[in-house]
Amino acid sequence: MAETTPSASSLTIGEGVTFTGSISAPGRATINGTVTGEITVNDLHIGAKGSVSGSIDARTIDVHGILAQNILCHEHLMIHRDGSVSGKLDYAEIEIERGGQFMGQMTQHLSDPSNA
């Protein structure tokens, strides 16, 4: 999740931008604004001022801002100390820094070995 160089299959929603709808991207989505809707991406990064709510399906998720509603994380979910996740969460692995918040229902599933 340390990659910061945008690739051809990446998407960035900037601070102050509001988007409502569906996003499907094969690479990374970086959200610094507000997104409501359906998101299907490989890697989801939510910045400190980012807010995402809706139906989320991602391989990895890195949360510094707010993530809410129905979340499916196939591999690793990281909630940083300034991050907040709420709603129904289905995940393989979770890591929460001291100060990070989760409120809702959690269900853990096994990692998909075909993605390794």
Side-chain angles (χ1 to χ4, degrees), residues 1-115:
M1 294 242 191
E3 181 183 310
T4 57
T5 306
S7 70
S9 62
S10 68
L11 168 76
T12 300
I13 303 287
E15 188 177 330
V17 175
T18 299
F19 177 84
T20 301
S22 296
I23 295 173
S24 180
R28 178 184 176 109
T30 301
I31 311 296
N32 294 308
T34 302
V35 174
T36 304
E38 294 183 23
I39 299 176
T40 302
V41 295
N42 194 36
D43 299 310
L44 177 61
H45 176 84
I46 302 170
K49 297 193 178 186
S51 176
V52 176
S53 65
S55 180
I56 289 65
D57 185 336
R59 183 181 61 83
T60 62
I61 303 174
D62 191 45
V63 182
H64 289 273
I66 298 169
L67 176 62
Q69 285 192 347
N70 295 317
I71 305 141
L72 173 58
C73 183
H74 297 277
E75 290 183 17
H76 184 255
L77 169 67
M78 176 68 187
I79 304 172
H80 294 271
R81 66 176 169 250
D82 51 352
S84 174
V85 175
S86 63
K88 183 178 177 188
L89 171 63
D90 187 339
Y91 68 97
E93 296 178 0
I94 190 168
E95 188 174 346
I96 304 174
E97 281 185 346
R98 186 177 192 163
Q101 299 177 359
F102 176 82
M103 184 181 347
Q105 175 186 349
M106 290 180 162
T107 302
Q108 185 176 23
H109 65 264
L110 296 175
S111 292
D112 183 356
S114 66
N115 287 339

